[in-house]
Amino acid sequence: MPGTDVAPTVRARLTLWYCAVLGAVLAAFAGVSYFAIARAIRAENDASLADTGHELSAAFERLALDESGLARTVRLDFRYSDRALFVFDSTGRLAASSRSREISEADRDALARRVAAGARGAFTIRGASAGGGVRAFAFPVTVVSTSFVAVVARNLDDQSRRLRAAAAALFSGIPLAILAAGAGGYVLARKSLSPVLRMSRQARRIGASSLGERIVVDNPRDELGTLAETLNELLARLEAAFASQRRFMADASHELRTPLAILQAESDVALSRPERSPEEYREALEVVQKTSRKLSQIVEDLFLVSRTDAGDYPVRRSRFYLDETIAGAARAMRRRAEARGVRIEVVPTPERLVWADEELIHRLAINLIDNAVKHTREGGCVRVDLSGEGGVTSIRVTDEGAGVPLSERDRIFERFYRGEKTDGSGAGLGLAIVRSIAQLHGGDARLADSSPAGSTFVAELRIAPDAA
């Protein structure tokens, strides 16, 4: 669509970055190489001019003090075609010169002015001609007690051409190298990222109904293999979460079906005849009331477990004495325990003022004691103990039942799970709620010990005593 920004692909971005870095490296290399070549050429030129000057300095010592002889000797003895020789007196006036067309008159006049100004050794005349300038080497000579300044000069046009050729060779190859490297880099990036595209296609095919599929791992030792394994681990967690959610919904539906069926049946029976006695209506209402309470408890338990899993259950903390809350839970369960012929013994503990959710802690203790009462044999005892060390408070409940079979120990804290030895009166949410409440308080619940003589369940809460 016109006006829509199209983001470059990862392959394109990698290729562009690769070309940019390579271009910067090649440009830096070409620049350093150019300056090294230019420096070497200039050093070679200066050395050549200096050597020529030193050779001519010895030759001038044999000349006669005669201008025509000096000029003739300079023209005859100086046989270098790529450089010129000029002899100036102390005032800068030209005394003699070699035959050379490499140096223009403007360059020669500029040399005379530099010599008159006292220039000696190597120096450069720039801008005196249309070419690259003149490089010169001036040295004093004495001919029969008369002082002159000899200058060996060389036009820089040839040097400039050599440097331009070197620069063209160095810098013109950079675009070609970048194009070649970019094409190769794009091919390599495409080949390297092809497993990512394949993983994307595989992941796109995986949905809620096909979470059992996994992404193929070509090489688990490289980065892409690690990515594929991480995605597979994520899919495994999602599959487990979906399975748990489906199982939760199925179990919840199963648990709610029975009380709802009872309510519907009682209502149908009560309304099946136009006239019934008050006793019959009262009996039906009692069944409805009892079933409604059970249904409300199941819904409340489901609400707590689901919101705990979502991490948004409101924990209403307050200061209270934990030992009194545990003792109150034991008293609330005493009548039910006596009906089953079971004693509840609460180990005396010192006062423990804590900052936590009292209602949830009370519910946790109720569920632990209720689970122990259900599994304790007639005439047995349920022992409730409270202890704390550091910032961890432990509620320990021990029963005198037949113990938890090994095959069930890993599942007893699952929702709706009821072991083979249970009486079937509960919904299988008691221990799941215990663990959820413990986790809301930064702890956990576990089966500490189990044997044919009984089991011990421990809820550990990270609630330190409140100093207030």
Side-chain angles (χ1 to χ4, degrees), residues 305-345:
V305 172
S306 61
R307 292 199 64 179
T308 302
D309 288 346
D312 61 351
Y313 189 88
V315 179
R316 301 177 178 87
R317 298 181 185 272
S318 62
R319 290 187 179 89
F320 64 95
Y321 287 97
L322 182 60
D323 55 303
E324 293 182 0
T325 300
I326 301 302
R331 286 193 299 270
M333 292 298 300
R334 188 157 285 137
R335 179 175 297 180
R336 182 172 182 178
E338 290 174 352
R340 299 176 66 94
V342 176
R343 291 183 301 108
I344 299 179
E345 177 185 345

mmCIF file of all heavy atoms in Angstrom, residues 305-345:
data_model
loop_
_atom_site.group_PDB
_atom_site.id
_atom_site.type_symbol
_atom_site.label_atom_id
_atom_site.label_comp_id
_atom_site.label_asym_id
_atom_site.label_seq_id
_atom_site.Cartn_x
_atom_site.Cartn_y
_atom_site.Cartn_z
ATOM 1 N N VAL A 305 -8.722 -21.102 44.184
ATOM 2 C CA VAL A 305 -7.643 -21.791 43.464
ATOM 3 C C VAL A 305 -7.343 -21.095 42.138
ATOM 4 O O VAL A 305 -6.177 -20.876 41.777
ATOM 5 C CB VAL A 305 -8.015 -23.269 43.232
ATOM 6 C CG1 VAL A 305 -7.005 -23.936 42.316
ATOM 7 C CG2 VAL A 305 -8.072 -24.012 44.560
ATOM 8 N N SER A 306 -8.389 -20.720 41.395
ATOM 9 C CA SER A 306 -8.167 -20.104 40.083
ATOM 10 C C SER A 306 -7.513 -18.735 40.214
ATOM 11 O O SER A 306 -6.596 -18.400 39.463
ATOM 12 C CB SER A 306 -9.494 -19.995 39.328
ATOM 13 O OG SER A 306 -10.404 -19.169 40.042
ATOM 14 N N ARG A 307 -7.947 -17.926 41.182
ATOM 15 C CA ARG A 307 -7.347 -16.596 41.339
ATOM 16 C C ARG A 307 -5.934 -16.688 41.912
ATOM 17 O O ARG A 307 -5.092 -15.832 41.628
ATOM 18 C CB ARG A 307 -8.223 -15.721 42.240
ATOM 19 C CG ARG A 307 -9.549 -15.363 41.614
ATOM 20 C CD ARG A 307 -10.174 -14.173 42.282
ATOM 21 N NE ARG A 307 -9.392 -12.965 42.112
ATOM 22 C CZ ARG A 307 -9.743 -11.773 42.599
ATOM 23 N NH1 ARG A 307 -10.886 -11.650 43.276
ATOM 24 N NH2 ARG A 307 -8.985 -10.724 42.415
ATOM 25 N N THR A 308 -5.686 -17.715 42.689
ATOM 26 C CA THR A 308 -4.312 -17.912 43.173
ATOM 27 C C THR A 308 -3.390 -18.255 42.014
ATOM 28 O O THR A 308 -2.264 -17.750 41.920
ATOM 29 C CB THR A 308 -4.275 -19.023 44.230
ATOM 30 O OG1 THR A 308 -5.140 -18.680 45.316
ATOM 31 C CG2 THR A 308 -2.862 -19.216 44.766
ATOM 32 N N ASP A 309 -3.866 -19.117 41.116
ATOM 33 C CA ASP A 309 -3.062 -19.452 39.936
ATOM 34 C C ASP A 309 -2.817 -18.214 39.082
ATOM 35 O O ASP A 309 -1.730 -18.050 38.499
ATOM 36 C CB ASP A 309 -3.764 -20.520 39.100
ATOM 37 C CG ASP A 309 -3.728 -21.880 39.795
ATOM 38 O OD1 ASP A 309 -2.946 -22.032 40.751
ATOM 39 O OD2 ASP A 309 -4.490 -22.769 39.385
ATOM 40 N N ALA A 310 -3.809 -17.337 38.980
ATOM 41 C CA ALA A 310 -3.649 -16.128 38.176
ATOM 42 C C ALA A 310 -2.792 -15.084 38.878
ATOM 43 O O ALA A 310 -2.329 -14.134 38.246
ATOM 44 C CB ALA A 310 -5.018 -15.532 37.847
ATOM 45 N N GLY A 311 -2.564 -15.260 40.179
ATOM 46 C CA GLY A 311 -1.703 -14.334 40.916
ATOM 47 C C GLY A 311 -2.375 -13.039 41.303
ATOM 48 O O GLY A 311 -1.694 -12.060 41.615
ATOM 49 N N ASP A 312 -3.717 -12.984 41.311
ATOM 50 C CA ASP A 312 -4.401 -11.736 41.648
ATOM 51 C C ASP A 312 -5.389 -11.908 42.799
ATOM 52 O O ASP A 312 -6.338 -11.130 42.929
ATOM 53 C CB ASP A 312 -5.111 -11.179 40.417
ATOM 54 C CG ASP A 312 -6.178 -12.134 39.887
ATOM 55 O OD1 ASP A 312 -6.235 -13.280 40.366
ATOM 56 O OD2 ASP A 312 -6.954 -11.727 38.993
ATOM 57 N N TYR A 313 -5.163 -12.921 43.640
ATOM 58 C CA TYR A 313 -6.057 -13.086 44.784
ATOM 59 C C TYR A 313 -5.715 -12.024 45.832
ATOM 60 O O TYR A 313 -4.559 -11.858 46.214
ATOM 61 C CB TYR A 313 -5.916 -14.483 45.395
ATOM 62 C CG TYR A 313 -6.976 -14.780 46.434
ATOM 63 C CD1 TYR A 313 -8.189 -15.316 46.063
ATOM 64 C CD2 TYR A 313 -6.761 -14.482 47.780
ATOM 65 C CE1 TYR A 313 -9.178 -15.573 47.003
ATOM 66 C CE2 TYR A 313 -7.744 -14.719 48.724
ATOM 67 C CZ TYR A 313 -8.953 -15.274 48.340
ATOM 68 O OH TYR A 313 -9.926 -15.510 49.272
ATOM 69 N N PRO A 314 -6.705 -11.301 46.325
ATOM 70 C CA PRO A 314 -6.415 -10.231 47.304
ATOM 71 C C PRO A 314 -6.096 -10.811 48.685
ATOM 72 O O PRO A 314 -6.938 -11.459 49.300
ATOM 73 C CB PRO A 314 -7.705 -9.419 47.320
ATOM 74 C CG PRO A 314 -8.775 -10.395 46.927
ATOM 75 C CD PRO A 314 -8.139 -11.364 45.966
ATOM 76 N N VAL A 315 -4.896 -10.591 49.146
ATOM 77 C CA VAL A 315 -4.484 -11.037 50.478
ATOM 78 C C VAL A 315 -4.676 -9.867 51.436
ATOM 79 O O VAL A 315 -4.003 -8.842 51.317
ATOM 80 C CB VAL A 315 -3.019 -11.512 50.484
ATOM 81 C CG1 VAL A 315 -2.599 -11.944 51.882
ATOM 82 C CG2 VAL A 315 -2.833 -12.646 49.489
ATOM 83 N N ARG A 316 -5.605 -10.029 52.376
ATOM 84 C CA ARG A 316 -5.917 -8.960 53.341
ATOM 85 C C ARG A 316 -5.165 -9.237 54.637
ATOM 86 O O ARG A 316 -5.625 -10.008 55.481
ATOM 87 C CB ARG A 316 -7.421 -8.881 53.572
ATOM 88 C CG ARG A 316 -8.216 -8.600 52.290
ATOM 89 C CD ARG A 316 -9.712 -8.603 52.560
ATOM 90 N NE ARG A 316 -10.477 -8.297 51.350
ATOM 91 C CZ ARG A 316 -10.852 -9.181 50.464
ATOM 92 N NH1 ARG A 316 -10.530 -10.467 50.647
ATOM 93 N NH2 ARG A 316 -11.533 -8.825 49.396
ATOM 94 N N ARG A 317 -4.039 -8.614 54.768
ATOM 95 C CA ARG A 317 -3.181 -8.873 55.927
ATOM 96 C C ARG A 317 -3.610 -8.020 57.118
ATOM 97 O O ARG A 317 -4.069 -6.887 56.969
ATOM 98 C CB ARG A 317 -1.723 -8.588 55.582
ATOM 99 C CG ARG A 317 -1.184 -9.485 54.476
ATOM 100 C CD ARG A 317 0.278 -9.181 54.181
ATOM 101 N NE ARG A 317 0.753 -9.958 53.056
ATOM 102 C CZ ARG A 317 1.270 -11.183 53.144
ATOM 103 N NH1 ARG A 317 1.377 -11.745 54.340
ATOM 104 N NH2 ARG A 317 1.676 -11.827 52.072
ATOM 105 N N SER A 318 -3.421 -8.613 58.280
ATOM 106 C CA SER A 318 -3.704 -7.927 59.544
ATOM 107 C C SER A 318 -2.861 -8.576 60.634
ATOM 108 O O SER A 318 -2.246 -9.630 60.423
ATOM 109 C CB SER A 318 -5.195 -8.008 59.883
ATOM 110 O OG SER A 318 -5.577 -9.369 60.052
ATOM 111 N N ARG A 319 -2.833 -7.946 61.798
ATOM 112 C CA ARG A 319 -2.105 -8.517 62.928
ATOM 113 C C ARG A 319 -3.044 -9.423 63.715
ATOM 114 O O ARG A 319 -4.163 -9.041 64.066
ATOM 115 C CB ARG A 319 -1.569 -7.405 63.838
ATOM 116 C CG ARG A 319 -0.444 -6.595 63.218
ATOM 117 C CD ARG A 319 0.147 -5.638 64.256
ATOM 118 N NE ARG A 319 1.228 -4.870 63.688
ATOM 119 C CZ ARG A 319 1.099 -3.712 63.063
ATOM 120 N NH1 ARG A 319 -0.115 -3.188 62.924
ATOM 121 N NH2 ARG A 319 2.128 -3.075 62.576
ATOM 122 N N PHE A 320 -2.573 -10.613 64.004
ATOM 123 C CA PHE A 320 -3.370 -11.544 64.817
ATOM 124 C C PHE A 320 -2.419 -12.567 65.438
ATOM 125 O O PHE A 320 -1.279 -12.727 65.009
ATOM 126 C CB PHE A 320 -4.442 -12.240 63.969
ATOM 127 C CG PHE A 320 -3.898 -13.116 62.883
ATOM 128 C CD1 PHE A 320 -3.722 -14.479 63.086
ATOM 129 C CD2 PHE A 320 -3.550 -12.583 61.639
ATOM 130 C CE1 PHE A 320 -3.216 -15.291 62.077
ATOM 131 C CE2 PHE A 320 -3.048 -13.389 60.634
ATOM 132 C CZ PHE A 320 -2.883 -14.741 60.846
ATOM 133 N N TYR A 321 -2.932 -13.242 66.431
ATOM 134 C CA TYR A 321 -2.150 -14.273 67.107
ATOM 135 C C TYR A 321 -2.371 -15.596 66.377
ATOM 136 O O TYR A 321 -3.483 -16.141 66.370
ATOM 137 C CB TYR A 321 -2.545 -14.400 68.569
ATOM 138 C CG TYR A 321 -2.054 -13.237 69.409
ATOM 139 C CD1 TYR A 321 -2.905 -12.168 69.694
ATOM 140 C CD2 TYR A 321 -0.754 -13.218 69.885
ATOM 141 C CE1 TYR A 321 -2.463 -11.095 70.458
ATOM 142 C CE2 TYR A 321 -0.293 -12.142 70.658
ATOM 143 C CZ TYR A 321 -1.150 -11.087 70.925
ATOM 144 O OH TYR A 321 -0.689 -10.026 71.669
ATOM 145 N N LEU A 322 -1.316 -16.091 65.782
ATOM 146 C CA LEU A 322 -1.423 -17.296 64.963
ATOM 147 C C LEU A 322 -1.797 -18.503 65.807
ATOM 148 O O LEU A 322 -2.566 -19.371 65.359
ATOM 149 C CB LEU A 322 -0.095 -17.541 64.238
ATOM 150 C CG LEU A 322 -0.043 -18.744 63.299
ATOM 151 C CD1 LEU A 322 -1.079 -18.600 62.183
ATOM 152 C CD2 LEU A 322 1.355 -18.894 62.685
ATOM 153 N N ASP A 323 -1.278 -18.594 67.016
ATOM 154 C CA ASP A 323 -1.594 -19.758 67.871
ATOM 155 C C ASP A 323 -3.082 -19.810 68.186
ATOM 156 O O ASP A 323 -3.680 -20.893 68.233
ATOM 157 C CB ASP A 323 -0.760 -19.692 69.145
ATOM 158 C CG ASP A 323 -0.939 -18.371 69.883
ATOM 159 O OD1 ASP A 323 -0.695 -17.316 69.271
ATOM 160 O OD2 ASP A 323 -1.335 -18.392 71.056
ATOM 161 N N GLU A 324 -3.732 -18.619 68.400
ATOM 162 C CA GLU A 324 -5.168 -18.623 68.679
ATOM 163 C C GLU A 324 -5.968 -19.023 67.444
ATOM 164 O O GLU A 324 -6.990 -19.712 67.550
ATOM 165 C CB GLU A 324 -5.593 -17.230 69.151
ATOM 166 C CG GLU A 324 -5.022 -16.834 70.506
ATOM 167 C CD GLU A 324 -5.518 -15.469 70.940
ATOM 168 O OE1 GLU A 324 -6.303 -14.858 70.169
ATOM 169 O OE2 GLU A 324 -5.148 -15.022 72.046
ATOM 170 N N THR A 325 -5.504 -18.605 66.247
ATOM 171 C CA THR A 325 -6.212 -18.976 65.017
ATOM 172 C C THR A 325 -6.160 -20.483 64.792
ATOM 173 O O THR A 325 -7.173 -21.102 64.416
ATOM 174 C CB THR A 325 -5.590 -18.235 63.821
ATOM 175 O OG1 THR A 325 -5.697 -16.833 64.022
ATOM 176 C CG2 THR A 325 -6.288 -18.605 62.526
ATOM 177 N N ILE A 326 -4.988 -21.094 65.024
ATOM 178 C CA ILE A 326 -4.863 -22.542 64.849
ATOM 179 C C ILE A 326 -5.727 -23.271 65.871
ATOM 180 O O ILE A 326 -6.404 -24.268 65.552
ATOM 181 C CB ILE A 326 -3.387 -22.967 64.970
ATOM 182 C CG1 ILE A 326 -2.540 -22.250 63.903
ATOM 183 C CG2 ILE A 326 -3.251 -24.470 64.832
ATOM 184 C CD1 ILE A 326 -2.985 -22.502 62.499
ATOM 185 N N ALA A 327 -5.723 -22.773 67.112
ATOM 186 C CA ALA A 327 -6.549 -23.407 68.147
ATOM 187 C C ALA A 327 -8.027 -23.268 67.807
ATOM 188 O O ALA A 327 -8.823 -24.199 68.012
ATOM 189 C CB ALA A 327 -6.249 -22.770 69.503
ATOM 190 N N GLY A 328 -8.430 -22.107 67.243
ATOM 191 C CA GLY A 328 -9.824 -21.927 66.849
ATOM 192 C C GLY A 328 -10.224 -22.880 65.737
ATOM 193 O O GLY A 328 -11.350 -23.400 65.727
ATOM 194 N N ALA A 329 -9.329 -23.122 64.775
ATOM 195 C CA ALA A 329 -9.633 -24.086 63.718
ATOM 196 C C ALA A 329 -9.801 -25.483 64.287
ATOM 197 O O ALA A 329 -10.684 -26.259 63.851
ATOM 198 C CB ALA A 329 -8.525 -24.054 62.671
ATOM 199 N N ALA A 330 -8.973 -25.828 65.261
ATOM 200 C CA ALA A 330 -9.089 -27.154 65.881
ATOM 201 C C ALA A 330 -10.411 -27.293 66.626
ATOM 202 O O ALA A 330 -11.078 -28.342 66.554
ATOM 203 C CB ALA A 330 -7.909 -27.384 66.824
ATOM 204 N N ARG A 331 -10.833 -26.232 67.329
ATOM 205 C CA ARG A 331 -12.120 -26.297 68.040
ATOM 206 C C ARG A 331 -13.270 -26.434 67.049
ATOM 207 O O ARG A 331 -14.249 -27.159 67.296
ATOM 208 C CB ARG A 331 -12.300 -25.042 68.883
ATOM 209 C CG ARG A 331 -11.445 -25.012 70.138
ATOM 210 C CD ARG A 331 -11.908 -23.905 71.085
ATOM 211 N NE ARG A 331 -11.812 -22.587 70.470
ATOM 212 C CZ ARG A 331 -10.734 -21.816 70.532
ATOM 213 N NH1 ARG A 331 -9.651 -22.238 71.192
ATOM 214 N NH2 ARG A 331 -10.724 -20.632 69.974
ATOM 215 N N ALA A 332 -13.175 -25.724 65.890
ATOM 216 C CA ALA A 332 -14.253 -25.808 64.909
ATOM 217 C C ALA A 332 -14.383 -27.211 64.332
ATOM 218 O O ALA A 332 -15.487 -27.625 63.938
ATOM 219 C CB ALA A 332 -13.994 -24.804 63.782
ATOM 220 N N MET A 333 -13.276 -27.965 64.271
ATOM 221 C CA MET A 333 -13.315 -29.319 63.703
ATOM 222 C C MET A 333 -13.537 -30.392 64.755
ATOM 223 O O MET A 333 -13.634 -31.576 64.422
ATOM 224 C CB MET A 333 -11.994 -29.589 62.979
ATOM 225 C CG MET A 333 -11.784 -28.763 61.727
ATOM 226 S SD MET A 333 -13.049 -29.081 60.470
ATOM 227 C CE MET A 333 -12.807 -30.822 60.182
ATOM 228 N N ARG A 334 -13.620 -29.999 66.045
ATOM 229 C CA ARG A 334 -13.690 -31.017 67.102
ATOM 230 C C ARG A 334 -14.970 -31.836 67.043
ATOM 231 O O ARG A 334 -14.953 -33.054 67.213
ATOM 232 C CB ARG A 334 -13.536 -30.334 68.463
ATOM 233 C CG ARG A 334 -13.399 -31.306 69.634
ATOM 234 C CD ARG A 334 -12.722 -30.643 70.798
ATOM 235 N NE ARG A 334 -11.299 -30.484 70.576
ATOM 236 C CZ ARG A 334 -10.617 -29.406 70.871
ATOM 237 N NH1 ARG A 334 -11.248 -28.344 71.363
ATOM 238 N NH2 ARG A 334 -9.323 -29.340 70.668
ATOM 239 N N ARG A 335 -16.118 -31.187 66.776
ATOM 240 C CA ARG A 335 -17.386 -31.927 66.732
ATOM 241 C C ARG A 335 -17.373 -32.937 65.602
ATOM 242 O O ARG A 335 -17.819 -34.085 65.785
ATOM 243 C CB ARG A 335 -18.546 -30.946 66.572
ATOM 244 C CG ARG A 335 -19.904 -31.627 66.492
ATOM 245 C CD ARG A 335 -21.021 -30.628 66.465
ATOM 246 N NE ARG A 335 -21.056 -29.842 67.701
ATOM 247 C CZ ARG A 335 -21.946 -28.873 67.944
ATOM 248 N NH1 ARG A 335 -22.868 -28.579 67.016
ATOM 249 N NH2 ARG A 335 -21.920 -28.201 69.070
ATOM 250 N N ARG A 336 -16.872 -32.546 64.459
ATOM 251 C CA ARG A 336 -16.813 -33.499 63.343
ATOM 252 C C ARG A 336 -15.860 -34.640 63.651
ATOM 253 O O ARG A 336 -16.115 -35.793 63.288
ATOM 254 C CB ARG A 336 -16.360 -32.767 62.071
ATOM 255 C CG ARG A 336 -16.326 -33.667 60.850
ATOM 256 C CD ARG A 336 -16.074 -32.884 59.599
ATOM 257 N NE ARG A 336 -16.086 -33.733 58.420
ATOM 258 C CZ ARG A 336 -15.923 -33.307 57.193
ATOM 259 N NH1 ARG A 336 -15.753 -32.008 56.957
ATOM 260 N NH2 ARG A 336 -15.958 -34.147 56.162
ATOM 261 N N ALA A 337 -14.760 -34.351 64.334
ATOM 262 C CA ALA A 337 -13.810 -35.390 64.694
ATOM 263 C C ALA A 337 -14.429 -36.363 65.701
ATOM 264 O O ALA A 337 -14.250 -37.591 65.598
ATOM 265 C CB ALA A 337 -12.547 -34.755 65.261
ATOM 266 N N GLU A 338 -15.184 -35.810 66.671
ATOM 267 C CA GLU A 338 -15.807 -36.689 67.667
ATOM 268 C C GLU A 338 -16.836 -37.605 67.019
ATOM 269 O O GLU A 338 -17.025 -38.751 67.446
ATOM 270 C CB GLU A 338 -16.456 -35.835 68.759
ATOM 271 C CG GLU A 338 -15.439 -35.120 69.648
ATOM 272 C CD GLU A 338 -16.095 -34.172 70.630
ATOM 273 O OE1 GLU A 338 -17.336 -33.967 70.496
ATOM 274 O OE2 GLU A 338 -15.398 -33.630 71.508
ATOM 275 N N ALA A 339 -17.515 -37.105 65.974
ATOM 276 C CA ALA A 339 -18.489 -37.948 65.284
ATOM 277 C C ALA A 339 -17.817 -39.140 64.615
ATOM 278 O O ALA A 339 -18.447 -40.196 64.420
ATOM 279 C CB ALA A 339 -19.247 -37.126 64.255
ATOM 280 N N ARG A 340 -16.555 -39.017 64.281
ATOM 281 C CA ARG A 340 -15.812 -40.119 63.672
ATOM 282 C C ARG A 340 -14.968 -40.872 64.694
ATOM 283 O O ARG A 340 -14.194 -41.754 64.323
ATOM 284 C CB ARG A 340 -14.906 -39.573 62.568
ATOM 285 C CG ARG A 340 -15.668 -38.880 61.447
ATOM 286 C CD ARG A 340 -14.708 -38.273 60.434
ATOM 287 N NE ARG A 340 -13.963 -39.301 59.725
ATOM 288 C CZ ARG A 340 -14.309 -39.818 58.554
ATOM 289 N NH1 ARG A 340 -15.427 -39.392 57.959
ATOM 290 N NH2 ARG A 340 -13.577 -40.734 57.968
ATOM 291 N N GLY A 341 -15.087 -40.478 65.977
ATOM 292 C CA GLY A 341 -14.320 -41.148 67.015
ATOM 293 C C GLY A 341 -12.854 -40.773 67.000
ATOM 294 O O GLY A 341 -11.997 -41.619 67.308
ATOM 295 N N VAL A 342 -12.554 -39.536 66.656
ATOM 296 C CA VAL A 342 -11.165 -39.086 66.531
ATOM 297 C C VAL A 342 -10.938 -37.920 67.490
ATOM 298 O O VAL A 342 -11.802 -37.039 67.637
ATOM 299 C CB VAL A 342 -10.852 -38.644 65.087
ATOM 300 C CG1 VAL A 342 -9.434 -38.083 64.989
ATOM 301 C CG2 VAL A 342 -11.019 -39.827 64.131
ATOM 302 N N ARG A 343 -9.770 -37.909 68.163
ATOM 303 C CA ARG A 343 -9.391 -36.806 69.042
ATOM 304 C C ARG A 343 -8.489 -35.818 68.287
ATOM 305 O O ARG A 343 -7.711 -36.216 67.425
ATOM 306 C CB ARG A 343 -8.632 -37.314 70.264
ATOM 307 C CG ARG A 343 -9.487 -38.110 71.242
ATOM 308 C CD ARG A 343 -8.658 -38.518 72.456
ATOM 309 N NE ARG A 343 -7.498 -39.322 72.109
ATOM 310 C CZ ARG A 343 -6.244 -38.884 72.162
ATOM 311 N NH1 ARG A 343 -5.978 -37.629 72.541
ATOM 312 N NH2 ARG A 343 -5.249 -39.685 71.844
ATOM 313 N N ILE A 344 -8.598 -34.545 68.644
ATOM 314 C CA ILE A 344 -7.718 -33.503 68.098
ATOM 315 C C ILE A 344 -6.901 -32.928 69.243
ATOM 316 O O ILE A 344 -7.453 -32.430 70.227
ATOM 317 C CB ILE A 344 -8.518 -32.392 67.401
ATOM 318 C CG1 ILE A 344 -9.319 -32.956 66.211
ATOM 319 C CG2 ILE A 344 -7.574 -31.288 66.916
ATOM 320 C CD1 ILE A 344 -10.158 -31.914 65.492
ATOM 321 N N GLU A 345 -5.608 -33.013 69.116
ATOM 322 C CA GLU A 345 -4.701 -32.526 70.159
ATOM 323 C C GLU A 345 -3.852 -31.391 69.577
ATOM 324 O O GLU A 345 -3.177 -31.552 68.559
ATOM 325 C CB GLU A 345 -3.780 -33.659 70.638
ATOM 326 C CG GLU A 345 -2.756 -33.204 71.664
ATOM 327 C CD GLU A 345 -1.798 -34.320 72.022
ATOM 328 O OE1 GLU A 345 -2.112 -35.505 71.701
ATOM 329 O OE2 GLU A 345 -0.732 -34.033 72.591
#
